[in-house]
mmCIF file of all heavy atoms in Angstrom:
data_model
loop_
_atom_site.group_PDB
_atom_site.id
_atom_site.type_symbol
_atom_site.label_atom_id
_atom_site.label_comp_id
_atom_site.label_asym_id
_atom_site.label_seq_id
_atom_site.Cartn_x
_atom_site.Cartn_y
_atom_site.Cartn_z
ATOM 1 N N PRO A 231 77.349 102.875 86.918
ATOM 2 C CA PRO A 231 78.505 102.836 86.000
ATOM 3 C C PRO A 231 78.840 101.424 85.547
ATOM 4 O O PRO A 231 78.698 100.462 86.302
ATOM 5 C CB PRO A 231 79.643 103.434 86.838
ATOM 6 C CG PRO A 231 79.235 103.214 88.252
ATOM 7 C CD PRO A 231 77.741 103.315 88.282
ATOM 8 N N MET A 232 79.283 101.305 84.308
ATOM 9 C CA MET A 232 79.704 100.007 83.769
ATOM 10 C C MET A 232 80.954 99.496 84.471
ATOM 11 O O MET A 232 81.113 98.300 84.684
ATOM 12 C CB MET A 232 79.971 100.130 82.270
ATOM 13 C CG MET A 232 78.733 100.312 81.410
ATOM 14 S SD MET A 232 77.750 98.805 81.300
ATOM 15 C CE MET A 232 78.872 97.736 80.399
ATOM 16 N N VAL A 233 81.856 100.443 84.784
ATOM 17 C CA VAL A 233 83.153 100.094 85.375
ATOM 18 C C VAL A 233 83.379 100.968 86.600
ATOM 19 O O VAL A 233 83.042 102.148 86.606
ATOM 20 C CB VAL A 233 84.290 100.305 84.351
ATOM 21 C CG1 VAL A 233 85.653 100.141 85.001
ATOM 22 C CG2 VAL A 233 84.133 99.350 83.179
ATOM 23 N N VAL A 234 83.952 100.370 87.660
ATOM 24 C CA VAL A 234 84.286 101.107 88.879
ATOM 25 C C VAL A 234 85.803 101.229 88.961
ATOM 26 O O VAL A 234 86.525 100.235 88.926
ATOM 27 C CB VAL A 234 83.743 100.406 90.134
ATOM 28 C CG1 VAL A 234 84.145 101.177 91.384
ATOM 29 C CG2 VAL A 234 82.228 100.276 90.046
ATOM 30 N N LYS A 235 86.293 102.470 89.052
ATOM 31 C CA LYS A 235 87.726 102.732 89.095
ATOM 32 C C LYS A 235 88.198 102.846 90.547
ATOM 33 O O LYS A 235 87.521 103.439 91.378
ATOM 34 C CB LYS A 235 88.054 104.041 88.368
ATOM 35 C CG LYS A 235 87.666 104.056 86.893
ATOM 36 C CD LYS A 235 87.961 105.418 86.279
ATOM 37 C CE LYS A 235 87.524 105.469 84.818
ATOM 38 N NZ LYS A 235 88.379 104.624 83.972
ATOM 39 N N ARG A 236 89.358 102.292 90.814
ATOM 40 C CA ARG A 236 89.882 102.357 92.176
ATOM 41 C C ARG A 236 90.345 103.766 92.520
ATOM 42 O O ARG A 236 90.681 104.573 91.643
ATOM 43 C CB ARG A 236 91.043 101.377 92.356
ATOM 44 C CG ARG A 236 92.372 101.802 91.733
ATOM 45 C CD ARG A 236 93.458 100.811 92.123
ATOM 46 N NE ARG A 236 94.694 101.030 91.401
ATOM 47 C CZ ARG A 236 95.809 101.541 91.942
ATOM 48 N NH1 ARG A 236 95.820 101.900 93.206
ATOM 49 N NH2 ARG A 236 96.898 101.692 91.213
ATOM 50 N N ARG A 237 90.385 104.053 93.808
ATOM 51 C CA ARG A 237 90.860 105.341 94.296
ATOM 52 C C ARG A 237 92.360 105.282 94.559
ATOM 53 O O ARG A 237 92.878 104.281 95.081
ATOM 54 C CB ARG A 237 90.127 105.718 95.579
ATOM 55 C CG ARG A 237 88.694 106.113 95.369
ATOM 56 C CD ARG A 237 88.558 107.390 94.572
ATOM 57 N NE ARG A 237 88.970 108.554 95.327
ATOM 58 C CZ ARG A 237 88.143 109.292 96.075
ATOM 59 N NH1 ARG A 237 86.845 108.981 96.138
ATOM 60 N NH2 ARG A 237 88.585 110.333 96.738
ATOM 61 N N ILE A 238 93.035 106.371 94.228
ATOM 62 C CA ILE A 238 94.474 106.466 94.442
ATOM 63 C C ILE A 238 94.768 107.779 95.155
ATOM 64 O O ILE A 238 94.369 108.848 94.689
ATOM 65 C CB ILE A 238 95.257 106.419 93.112
ATOM 66 C CG1 ILE A 238 94.947 105.125 92.357
ATOM 67 C CG2 ILE A 238 96.747 106.547 93.361
ATOM 68 C CD1 ILE A 238 95.561 105.063 90.973
ATOM 69 N N VAL A 239 95.435 107.694 96.292
ATOM 70 C CA VAL A 239 95.903 108.905 96.972
ATOM 71 C C VAL A 239 97.124 109.402 96.220
ATOM 72 O O VAL A 239 98.148 108.716 96.144
ATOM 73 C CB VAL A 239 96.243 108.612 98.443
ATOM 74 C CG1 VAL A 239 96.948 109.808 99.081
ATOM 75 C CG2 VAL A 239 94.976 108.267 99.221
ATOM 76 N N GLN A 240 97.024 110.597 95.658
ATOM 77 C CA GLN A 240 98.086 111.077 94.781
ATOM 78 C C GLN A 240 99.326 111.500 95.553
ATOM 79 O O GLN A 240 100.443 111.160 95.178
ATOM 80 C CB GLN A 240 97.568 112.255 93.941
ATOM 81 C CG GLN A 240 98.607 112.787 92.966
ATOM 82 C CD GLN A 240 97.979 113.638 91.884
ATOM 83 O OE1 GLN A 240 96.789 113.571 91.635
ATOM 84 N NE2 GLN A 240 98.794 114.444 91.230
ATOM 85 N N ASP A 241 99.144 112.270 96.622
ATOM 86 C CA ASP A 241 100.283 112.793 97.374
ATOM 87 C C ASP A 241 100.379 112.071 98.705
ATOM 88 O O ASP A 241 99.748 112.446 99.688
ATOM 89 C CB ASP A 241 100.122 114.302 97.597
ATOM 90 C CG ASP A 241 101.391 114.935 98.168
ATOM 91 O OD1 ASP A 241 102.299 114.186 98.588
ATOM 92 O OD2 ASP A 241 101.460 116.177 98.211
ATOM 93 N N LEU A 242 101.178 111.010 98.744
ATOM 94 C CA LEU A 242 101.309 110.217 99.965
ATOM 95 C C LEU A 242 101.962 111.016 101.081
ATOM 96 O O LEU A 242 101.713 110.782 102.269
ATOM 97 C CB LEU A 242 102.119 108.952 99.664
ATOM 98 C CG LEU A 242 102.007 107.813 100.690
ATOM 99 C CD1 LEU A 242 100.599 107.278 100.755
ATOM 100 C CD2 LEU A 242 102.989 106.701 100.354
ATOM 101 N N ASN A 243 102.771 111.979 100.696
ATOM 102 C CA ASN A 243 103.464 112.782 101.705
ATOM 103 C C ASN A 243 102.489 113.601 102.549
ATOM 104 O O ASN A 243 102.755 113.901 103.709
ATOM 105 C CB ASN A 243 104.465 113.717 101.022
ATOM 106 C CG ASN A 243 105.660 114.017 101.896
ATOM 107 O OD1 ASN A 243 106.259 113.103 102.451
ATOM 108 N ND2 ASN A 243 106.000 115.283 102.022
ATOM 109 N N GLU A 244 101.357 113.964 101.942
ATOM 110 C CA GLU A 244 100.354 114.739 102.661
ATOM 111 C C GLU A 244 99.264 113.867 103.274
ATOM 112 O O GLU A 244 98.400 114.378 103.988
ATOM 113 C CB GLU A 244 99.717 115.766 101.716
ATOM 114 C CG GLU A 244 100.689 116.837 101.231
ATOM 115 C CD GLU A 244 101.289 117.626 102.384
ATOM 116 O OE1 GLU A 244 100.538 117.989 103.309
ATOM 117 O OE2 GLU A 244 102.517 117.866 102.373
ATOM 118 N N ALA A 245 99.286 112.601 102.989
ATOM 119 C CA ALA A 245 98.257 111.701 103.518
ATOM 120 C C ALA A 245 98.485 111.465 105.013
ATOM 121 O O ALA A 245 99.618 111.468 105.508
ATOM 122 C CB ALA A 245 98.282 110.374 102.772
ATOM 123 N N TYR A 246 97.398 111.210 105.721
ATOM 124 C CA TYR A 246 97.486 110.965 107.164
ATOM 125 C C TYR A 246 98.277 109.689 107.453
ATOM 126 O O TYR A 246 98.160 108.684 106.749
ATOM 127 C CB TYR A 246 96.073 110.825 107.758
ATOM 128 C CG TYR A 246 96.081 110.340 109.187
ATOM 129 C CD1 TYR A 246 96.310 111.229 110.238
ATOM 130 C CD2 TYR A 246 95.912 108.990 109.478
ATOM 131 C CE1 TYR A 246 96.356 110.774 111.551
ATOM 132 C CE2 TYR A 246 95.952 108.531 110.785
ATOM 133 C CZ TYR A 246 96.166 109.430 111.808
ATOM 134 O OH TYR A 246 96.221 108.971 113.107
ATOM 135 N N PHE A 247 99.072 109.739 108.525
ATOM 136 C CA PHE A 247 99.757 108.551 109.030
ATOM 137 C C PHE A 247 99.804 108.665 110.547
ATOM 138 O O PHE A 247 100.127 109.727 111.088
ATOM 139 C CB PHE A 247 101.171 108.419 108.459
ATOM 140 C CG PHE A 247 101.749 107.041 108.640
ATOM 141 C CD1 PHE A 247 101.469 106.037 107.726
ATOM 142 C CD2 PHE A 247 102.543 106.736 109.731
ATOM 143 C CE1 PHE A 247 101.982 104.755 107.889
ATOM 144 C CE2 PHE A 247 103.058 105.460 109.906
ATOM 145 C CZ PHE A 247 102.782 104.466 108.980
ATOM 146 N N PRO A 248 99.469 107.590 111.266
ATOM 147 C CA PRO A 248 99.375 107.685 112.727
ATOM 148 C C PRO A 248 100.734 107.885 113.394
ATOM 149 O O PRO A 248 101.728 107.264 113.012
ATOM 150 C CB PRO A 248 98.766 106.343 113.130
ATOM 151 C CG PRO A 248 99.107 105.415 112.002
ATOM 152 C CD PRO A 248 99.096 106.260 110.767
ATOM 153 N N THR A 249 100.762 108.747 114.381
ATOM 154 C CA THR A 249 101.965 108.938 115.204
ATOM 155 C C THR A 249 101.723 108.506 116.651
ATOM 156 O O THR A 249 102.676 108.295 117.392
ATOM 157 C CB THR A 249 102.411 110.412 115.191
ATOM 158 O OG1 THR A 249 101.334 111.238 115.608
ATOM 159 C CG2 THR A 249 102.868 110.818 113.803
ATOM 160 N N ARG A 250 100.464 108.393 117.043
ATOM 161 C CA ARG A 250 100.141 107.869 118.367
ATOM 162 C C ARG A 250 99.872 106.370 118.207
ATOM 163 O O ARG A 250 98.742 105.929 118.056
ATOM 164 C CB ARG A 250 98.939 108.607 118.963
ATOM 165 C CG ARG A 250 99.147 110.124 119.040
ATOM 166 C CD ARG A 250 98.077 110.795 119.871
ATOM 167 N NE ARG A 250 98.210 110.490 121.286
ATOM 168 C CZ ARG A 250 98.990 111.176 122.131
ATOM 169 N NH1 ARG A 250 99.695 112.217 121.682
ATOM 170 N NH2 ARG A 250 99.062 110.840 123.388
ATOM 171 N N TRP A 251 100.959 105.607 118.242
ATOM 172 C CA TRP A 251 100.918 104.187 117.907
ATOM 173 C C TRP A 251 100.326 103.391 119.060
ATOM 174 O O TRP A 251 100.828 103.427 120.178
ATOM 175 C CB TRP A 251 102.334 103.706 117.599
ATOM 176 C CG TRP A 251 102.367 102.521 116.698
ATOM 177 C CD1 TRP A 251 102.608 101.240 117.062
ATOM 178 C CD2 TRP A 251 102.152 102.504 115.288
ATOM 179 N NE1 TRP A 251 102.562 100.417 115.970
ATOM 180 C CE2 TRP A 251 102.273 101.167 114.869
ATOM 181 C CE3 TRP A 251 101.850 103.482 114.340
ATOM 182 C CZ2 TRP A 251 102.125 100.786 113.544
ATOM 183 C CZ3 TRP A 251 101.695 103.111 113.023
ATOM 184 C CH2 TRP A 251 101.835 101.778 112.630
ATOM 185 N N MET A 252 99.250 102.645 118.781
ATOM 186 C CA MET A 252 98.620 101.848 119.831
ATOM 187 C C MET A 252 99.559 100.742 120.307
ATOM 188 O O MET A 252 100.185 100.055 119.501
ATOM 189 C CB MET A 252 97.322 101.232 119.322
ATOM 190 C CG MET A 252 96.141 102.165 119.364
ATOM 191 S SD MET A 252 94.599 101.311 118.945
ATOM 192 C CE MET A 252 94.833 101.017 117.194
ATOM 193 N N VAL A 253 99.606 100.553 121.621
ATOM 194 C CA VAL A 253 100.481 99.550 122.229
ATOM 195 C C VAL A 253 99.613 98.514 122.930
ATOM 196 O O VAL A 253 98.936 98.828 123.914
ATOM 197 C CB VAL A 253 101.453 100.194 123.237
ATOM 198 C CG1 VAL A 253 102.402 99.141 123.800
ATOM 199 C CG2 VAL A 253 102.228 101.336 122.591
ATOM 200 N N PRO A 254 99.600 97.274 122.459
ATOM 201 C CA PRO A 254 98.728 96.250 123.049
ATOM 202 C C PRO A 254 99.273 95.728 124.384
ATOM 203 O O PRO A 254 100.450 95.898 124.700
ATOM 204 C CB PRO A 254 98.728 95.145 121.997
ATOM 205 C CG PRO A 254 100.061 95.282 121.334
ATOM 206 C CD PRO A 254 100.375 96.755 121.310
ATOM 207 N N TYR A 255 98.390 95.078 125.130
ATOM 208 C CA TYR A 255 98.787 94.473 126.400
ATOM 209 C C TYR A 255 99.446 93.110 126.211
ATOM 210 O O TYR A 255 100.120 92.609 127.117
ATOM 211 C CB TYR A 255 97.557 94.293 127.301
ATOM 212 C CG TYR A 255 96.933 95.587 127.751
ATOM 213 C CD1 TYR A 255 95.626 95.901 127.405
ATOM 214 C CD2 TYR A 255 97.637 96.497 128.550
ATOM 215 C CE1 TYR A 255 95.037 97.083 127.825
ATOM 216 C CE2 TYR A 255 97.061 97.678 128.969
ATOM 217 C CZ TYR A 255 95.760 97.965 128.599
ATOM 218 O OH TYR A 255 95.177 99.138 129.011
ATOM 219 N N ILE A 256 99.227 92.493 125.064
ATOM 220 C CA ILE A 256 99.803 91.181 124.782
ATOM 221 C C ILE A 256 100.616 91.260 123.497
ATOM 222 O O ILE A 256 100.476 92.192 122.712
ATOM 223 C CB ILE A 256 98.710 90.092 124.636
ATOM 224 C CG1 ILE A 256 97.724 90.453 123.516
ATOM 225 C CG2 ILE A 256 97.975 89.897 125.947
ATOM 226 C CD1 ILE A 256 96.690 89.378 123.233
ATOM 227 N N ASN A 257 101.482 90.271 123.305
ATOM 228 C CA ASN A 257 102.290 90.235 122.091
ATOM 229 C C ASN A 257 101.396 90.027 120.869
ATOM 230 O O ASN A 257 100.466 89.206 120.887
ATOM 231 C CB ASN A 257 103.318 89.107 122.160
ATOM 232 C CG ASN A 257 104.404 89.379 123.170
ATOM 233 O OD1 ASN A 257 104.721 90.530 123.449
ATOM 234 N ND2 ASN A 257 104.972 88.327 123.740
ATOM 235 N N ILE A 258 101.677 90.780 119.812
ATOM 236 C CA ILE A 258 100.965 90.612 118.552
ATOM 237 C C ILE A 258 101.971 90.221 117.475
ATOM 238 O O ILE A 258 103.183 90.209 117.721
ATOM 239 C CB ILE A 258 100.193 91.896 118.168
ATOM 240 C CG1 ILE A 258 101.141 93.085 118.007
ATOM 241 C CG2 ILE A 258 99.113 92.195 119.200
ATOM 242 C CD1 ILE A 258 100.466 94.361 117.524
#
Side-chain angles (χ1 to χ4, degrees):
M232 289 288 294
V233 172
V234 178
K235 300 177 182 290
R236 76 174 171 108
R237 288 294 289 269
I238 302 174
V239 170
Q240 182 163 341
D241 190 349
L242 198 64
N243 210 49
E244 295 301 317
Y246 170 82
F247 196 85
T249 55
R250 304 191 71 86
W251 206 256
M252 278 187 289
V253 183
Y255 294 118
I256 58 175
N257 290 332
I258 60 176

